[in-house]
Amino acid sequence: MSDQMEQQQQPIGQADVAQDVDQVNGEEKVEDQPEAVPLPPLTIRLPTPKCSRTVPKAKDSSEPRDRLTIYPQPTETMQDIKLLINDWVGAYWLGPYSLRLPFVKGDDGRGKVFTQKEDFSEIRAGERLNEWLEVQDAFAHLEEDGERVLEVVKEPYGEFTARQSVLRILELIAPTGTTANTTTTPIALQPGSTIFESVRDGVLSSGGETQYEEVEVSLPSGRKGKGGKKELVKVQRAVSNDKSHAFADWKGSEGWTSTKLGGLPFSQSPLEVLPCLKSIQISPFNPPPPHLRQLGHQLYLQVALLEGETVTIICTTRGWYVSKSNVNQFDPSPRTDNNGSNPAPTHSLIDLLHSLSPLFSERLSKLSPLSTEPPSLDPISTVAIPQAEPAYPWLTNIPKPATSAEILRTQLAFLHTGAYGADSVDAARDWNEEIQGIRELPRGSMQERVFREKMLQKVWAEFDQAAIRAVQTVSRGDIPAINPSEDPKAHMYLQSNIFITQGDSDALNAYGHLGGDAAMRISHGKDAAGVKLLNKLDVDGLYMLGHTIVDWQGKRWICQSILPGIFSNRKKEEEEEDQEANSAEDGEAQKKEDWVKVGDSPAKPSADKSVDVGEADQTDVEGENENPMMIYGIDSEKPTSVHWDKATHKLMATVGQAQKLAAHKIKDGKGVEHEFYASSEVKGLKGTDGRRYLLDAQRLSPVDIEWLEKDYEIEDAKYPHRLTMLRPELLETFWESELKRWARGVAEKAKAKQDEQASKDKAQEAGPSTTNDDKKEGQALDESSTPKEEQSPAAEAAAAHRAEEEKPVDASVIGDIKQFELKFNPDAFVDQIPSKDSTTSEDQPFLPSTITDETDPSVKAVRDASVFLRSIAIPAVVLDVLTGNTSGLMDGASLTKHLHGRGINMRYLGHLANTIKQFSAGPEGEARKETGHLAALKAIVLQEMIFRASKHILRTLISNLQPETITYAVSHFLNCLLGSSYNSSPSATFNPIGISDREEQPEYTRLTPESLRKAIIDEVKLRFRFTVDEAHFEESLKKRQLLRELAVRFGIQLAQRDYDFDRDQDSSSTEDEKDIKQSKDKKNKKNKAPAQKRLNTFEPEDILTLVPVVKSTAPTVTVAEEILEAGRNTINRGSIDLGLEFMLEGLQLYENIYSVIHPEVASVYNQYSQAIHQLARLKIQQVAAQAAANPEGAADPEQPLGLDISTALRLQRQAIIVAERTLGVYHSETAGYYFNLAMLENLEGNPQQALRYFRHVLKLWDVIHGPNHPEINTVLSNAGVVLQAINETSLALVLQKQVYDSTLSLFGDSHIQTGQVLHQLTQSHFLAGDMLAALSTSEKALDIFSARLGEEHSQTQEVKKNVELLRAVIDNVEKQKERNEQLKKDQQERLKAAKERIQLTGGGIKGRRIGSTLANGSGSGGVRIVDPATLAAAAAAAGHPIDASGQPAAASAGSAEGQGQVAEGSNIGTRGTESVEELVRFIQGQQQPSASAARRGKNALRGKRRTGAKR
């Protein structure tokens, strides 16, 4: 147990052994911190419970239950120690307690003072230790070898600790993920489900359905007396398939069948847990009356025991006891025991329940932490998700019954808050103060940084959850607006100290010049992205509000923490504060020192003043009120007013440096210039708490001017808004590209200068050597470059640019990189807000930008970045897909993530589709159909454009509907979009609420399939500048996949059933159902009436609920990222062991900060496992290369690789569970994790598990993408390699043939990909013994490689050697056949001659046995000297010819064909003088073949040891 404790403590202690990673000139500098010295063991003494059943007896007597020994780190606190104690089997039952040092009497009669700290706090023996006290401080008075002991001392109860005791017992008897847990109230159905363990154990069939078997279990009947015997009950239990492996039923191309939606597994059944209590609830007699409260009464609990008794338990200050109360009458006096005495209160509620109910003890002993049996499910798959939004399945079954009776569910609020009524509810959490208070925590050391980021991630996660609940409350109309007199679209709400506004209705016309509602919606999305970026930068002294976006039921809601002072008019007070600040600068600076930190020195209060030049003497005749809190930026309500603040500007300089933003001047209404780094529209406000807050962070990036000038308006179709920004990722990519170009320029100039100097010095040999070097470099580049295909001019240009960028640069001649400067002006080309006196038109509701001078480098950089996006970034994406360097693009979500990571906005999907078309053209630019990877990419791009257009239309249709009407609208929309082939004219249903006779028919009732398609085509053309062919909807639309995308990304949960998208599909499924019905038991004559056939694909009852979609602004953790990146760089430098240690340390920090169940943690698990897999493959290749170069001195191929593959496997399995629970069971990243796990399992030597995972990956591809994707062939090929390893050569050949057929249809017969598949197929044919087929495929591969790669390429040479070897084998077989035919002919002739010779000598052999003839010779012991001619004749007659010397002539033709290959000139064996019996057995074919012939076989072609599947 102590080892487990130590293991649990490792993540906490890692903060002490971590290294700081500082960025120095672009490189990581790792500074070693002194490692914390571990303390000696710490012993914790525990009290003994009253009931003997409370703590189970230890199996080993050496493990006492009254003390616990742990090995904590020095910096762990008493609170950390208590968490460990609570989870131990010997202390789970404890009530409220404290930790104390053993009592030693001091001089004053109290406990002895051991330590007195600087803050005058004392550590005394026998007195309660502060829960935040560190272990090293608690035992600072002891020597290093002193015994460290803590005692657990019971503490009196209060109401809070009484409620905590009830919550604690609920955790024990009703753990999450079990049937006993009935108190959860999720926002949607089946949150955080996983199926990994079902996949791992093979309990899912190939079709995705769980296999069950009926077993009998004995359960107590609950009856007393004779009827109390245990009853046998039949239940279903999931069982593993009895197939030999997961691909045993695979049938090649016919084996790919789309899994029906009704049979898709989305969750595994919860653990069956027997209830420990019938019920437990807060007694209706609560709260205690004042006179009993005075006597110490804290809480009344009503518990129904399994034995049938219902008791009322009273909690007092001393503990718990059973009262004489019944359900209807309250009597607080204690119930007497069997002896007639009143027992003393029991301090622990759990201890009391053990003494009251033996069944409680029996059943609790089977649950954690008491159970000694390993859990049937991994705890990570069942525990509650603490800090991440759980994934909700898009298909789910309606729970039956819909809900269960659980009165405690409605009492959880009281248990958590202690509020009996509205008047006693505590004030809501001050989210803003919590967030900003945590941001102000110290971060000087690694431990402080880890603690600070952990608390920040926790509070952000809790804020997101509170925002979701608040939005649902507001959306239902339960909260009144704080501005009810204004337009409903402009209503603002305040709930749980969260400020909530609508994010897609520009009721105040703040975005009228940019596009109105559409611009406002995009603006809030960009604002959230900017806040997330600023949160990651984490500039000291600059604060951001808590910020979350929630999209639900067609509306976007903006949730923010409350800016201090935002609801108060403090203009006069601010002016007074400014006057006081001017008169007392030094005192104010000292006063504000705690909350203002600017760089390394405190800012002066004169700089804190909001400066608006000319504002003091301006009279606002128009009645516009200035915002008294604004101190920085342009006031959007008064565009001529520019605020500027020196301290804020200094903070923004840090942001500008990080984001490469240029300092630029902005003029106010008076013509006075002010300098800004970010856009002047980014506002700085000073709250009443003295902190500086940034708002409206959408303008942290510059404008995409090329889109506004070239794509905003085409054919009178205007883009919905003008708020088109460049992504920060693009600016980073463009900056790096320009840096490389600058470095090449500097290097070329330096080289030219060197060449000029060399020519002056007459160094003639420099020229030829340089030419040779260039030639060698070019050869090396050709050898390592991607295989060249016949490419279009666009692909050639992109490849040429890539090759130019990747040319190596001599860093020694560049000098200081700081000489390079490229910054962007975020105010360049920005449309101006029109003032009231300015004139605008409907066609141009904005004022043109005043910053357009491209002679300014920062303005030109904005233009160049916008051009770079179109001309370089988009073609680079297509080039990477074309060359196979990009993988994992399965659906629109993965495409979106990939494009955003490359800095490409989704409005460029149309440009991306056109670029794919250009790359698919012929060498002369002629149009060709897309093939291979480009065809798959274009299909995903088209699907994504249709999805996004559909999402916009659906959002418009349902945004103003009642919740019960939304189900009708969504089902009709899906029928028009996906079910038109099933019913070409679906009819909409609308049930008026009945509150008015003038209820209008909603817009969705007028929707038809034709009108929807036209609307989608128009929307795609408007938003993506691309025209979709209407035939695409019928011919190429992947309806199952589009349904999944809409459900997952729009937030819809559908009932799980087989949706029929076509009439043919419906008829086939009907026939299947008929066959199933006919095959059922014939004894059941009363067949049920067939289900009524559906009129439409979707019905309103199929739409179960709409799930909120959350966009959080919580950034990734920086401290763990730095250590993880340091680990990667260390590995790249060759220090593998140290690098892996760094990665593990960073991984543990991720777990500590995020908690384990978080998608970021799953990603890090996957990265570590991938690193282990790549290193293992690299080591295997090195061993193989050494064996080829030096066979005698090569290392043993079976020796360990020196890598912890078992840890990588464990982490990869956890990554899958976490991904399924937080991202989704059918998610692109989950599929990638499964594939990596399959590769690792194969590497570790677990082929059966690898095949299970490969089969599941194919199912994921089917659900997410569908068939016909090149990466599916990769999965099949790797599965084939694994099958070959377990000698399933015939099935492996079936898979490889399927891969070849698919590759041929996707890429054509001359593509390099086809050649590689043929090369793999050659090996499969050879292992199956089909030499001719192996030669044919190898020759085809050789033709492709020779044409594409050239004769000298290494891969061409390898295939060429295989062809030569196969030809030699086949030629040898042919020669052997010819030799055998000739030998047969000679044998017949010799046999004929022998017969004639025997007849001439008397014909005595006829009718006699050979043995009797041979026995006439002389010799002893049955050995005779046989006439060679006679022996040859007899052997030929028996079919085993030998020559005259007694040697076997040759193997038969059939034997040669069966062996596949025979070594030419081989000597099978030599026979001399033998006994007659042995000769007869040999001639009659009873002799065993030689061992050498048996060893020779089909593996001759294997030139190198196969080292596992290759992706």
Side-chain angles (χ1 to χ4, degrees), residues 166-179:
V166 179
L167 292 173
R168 169 61 176 165
I169 200 170
L170 287 178
E171 292 178 3
L172 291 174
I173 67 175
T176 56
T178 64
T179 54

Side-chain angles (χ1 to χ4, degrees), residues 43 115 257 387 447 505 588 662 1006 1023 1098 1175 1243 1386:
T43 302
T115 307
T257 55
Q387 287 184 206
Q447 181 189 357
S505 57
E588 187 69 17
R1006 295 184 286 274
R1023 291 183 177 274
F1098 300 92
L1175 290 171
L1243 181 67
D1386 295 342

Side-chain angles (χ1 to χ4, degrees), residues 1086-1224:
K1086 296 181 179 180
N1087 292 327
K1088 295 182 179 180
Q1092 186 177 1
K1093 190 175 181 180
R1094 287 192 164 213
L1095 297 177
N1096 300 310
T1097 302
F1098 300 92
E1099 299 293 343
E1101 56 268 20
D1102 294 330
I1103 313 302
L1104 300 182
T1105 185
L1106 268 68
V1107 186
V1109 179
V1110 182
K1111 300 180 186 298
S1112 177
T1113 59
T1116 55
V1117 293
T1118 57
V1119 57
E1121 278 182 351
E1122 292 169 4
I1123 296 179
L1124 198 68
E1125 186 64 25
R1128 296 193 197 99
N1129 295 336
T1130 305
I1131 292 175
N1132 293 335
R1133 289 194 293 266
S1135 301
I1136 294 178
D1137 293 338
L1138 181 61
L1140 290 176
E1141 287 181 10
F1142 269 126
M1143 292 190 72
L1144 273 177
E1145 189 174 311
L1147 185 149
Q1148 290 166 353
L1149 287 180
Y1150 268 95
E1151 293 176 337
N1152 188 13
I1153 294 172
Y1154 279 121
S1155 79
V1156 174
I1157 309 177
H1158 196 282
E1160 292 292 336
V1161 177
S1163 177
V1164 176
Y1165 284 163
N1166 181 65
Q1167 292 176 36
Y1168 178 81
S1169 300
Q1170 272 190 310
I1172 291 288
H1173 181 250
Q1174 292 169 2
L1175 290 171
R1177 288 196 54 81
L1178 184 62
K1179 286 195 174 186
I1180 291 174
Q1181 292 172 3
Q1182 291 173 352
V1183 171
Q1186 292 174 2
N1190 185 14
E1192 296 181 357
D1196 182 8
E1198 301 299 328
Q1199 69 179 355
L1201 297 174
L1203 296 171
D1204 192 359
I1205 299 180
S1206 61
T1207 297
L1209 276 171
R1210 177 177 59 83
L1211 294 177
Q1212 190 68 22
R1213 293 172 188 137
Q1214 289 186 359
I1216 291 175
I1217 296 176
V1218 173
E1220 287 184 337
R1221 300 196 67 195
T1222 57
L1223 298 175

Side-chain angles (χ1 to χ4, degrees), residues 624-679:
E624 293 180 344
N625 294 323
E626 296 177 3
N627 188 344
M629 302 178 66
M630 182 173 290
I631 58 174
Y632 194 77
I634 292 179
D635 191 342
S636 56
E637 297 181 1
K638 189 178 180 183
T640 58
S641 176
V642 177
H643 301 261
W644 196 86
D645 173 62
K646 183 178 179 181
T648 306
H649 185 67
K650 194 170 183 179
L651 294 172
M652 292 303 296
T654 307
V655 177
Q657 181 68 23
Q659 294 303 110
K660 302 174 179 61
L661 303 179
H664 56 283
K665 303 288 186 179
I666 296 294
K667 292 182 180 180
D668 63 5
K670 291 290 186 178
V672 179
E673 292 184 339
H674 304 278
E675 186 180 69
F676 291 91
Y677 287 96
S679 171

Side-chain angles (χ1 to χ4, degrees), residues 460-593:
W460 272 320
E462 292 171 350
F463 179 80
D464 291 343
Q465 292 297 316
I468 294 173
R469 294 191 296 268
V471 163
Q472 291 181 321
T473 303
V474 169
S475 182
R476 289 192 294 261
D478 299 339
I479 302 297
I482 60 176
N483 55 339
S485 60
E486 298 184 13
D487 188 339
K489 292 183 177 180
H491 280 176
M492 297 178 287
Y493 304 88
L494 194 60
Q495 170 70 4
S496 302
N497 271 342
I498 299 176
F499 186 58
I500 302 172
T501 56
Q502 297 185 46
D504 46 14
S505 57
D506 186 24
L508 301 179
N509 199 30
Y511 295 90
H513 65 296
L514 296 175
D517 292 350
M520 185 176 187
R521 182 180 180 87
I522 292 298
S523 173
H524 284 298
K526 297 292 184 183
D527 183 21
V531 171
K532 186 172 185 177
L533 181 64
L534 291 171
N535 282 333
K536 186 172 181 63
L537 290 178
D538 202 8
V539 179
D540 192 12
L542 205 57
Y543 296 89
M544 271 63 62
L545 299 174
H547 194 128
T548 297
I549 294 179
V550 179
D551 292 332
W552 191 45
Q553 295 187 352
K555 290 185 178 181
R556 169 161 288 186
W557 299 91
I558 313 303
C559 307
Q560 295 173 307
S561 61
I562 301 175
L563 178 66
I566 193 67
F567 294 121
S568 61
N569 185 7
R570 298 186 49 88
K571 188 170 182 178
K572 287 186 177 181
E573 297 176 12
E574 289 288 340
E575 292 176 355
E576 293 175 359
E577 288 178 4
D578 292 341
Q579 293 176 359
E580 293 175 2
N582 291 330
S583 61
E585 294 182 359
D586 297 336
E588 187 69 17
Q590 183 67 27
K591 181 179 179 182
K592 300 295 183 182
E593 185 178 0

Side-chain angles (χ1 to χ4, degrees), residues 31 114 158 303 308 386 482 503 528 552 661 734 815 904 918 938 1011 1026 1093 1219 1221 1249 1476:
E31 299 179 354
F114 289 133
V303 179
I482 60 176
W552 191 45
L661 303 179
F734 176 65
I904 300 174
Q918 295 172 6
K938 187 172 183 181
S1011 65
F1026 186 83
K1093 190 175 181 180
R1221 300 196 67 195
Q1249 287 298 114
V1476 176

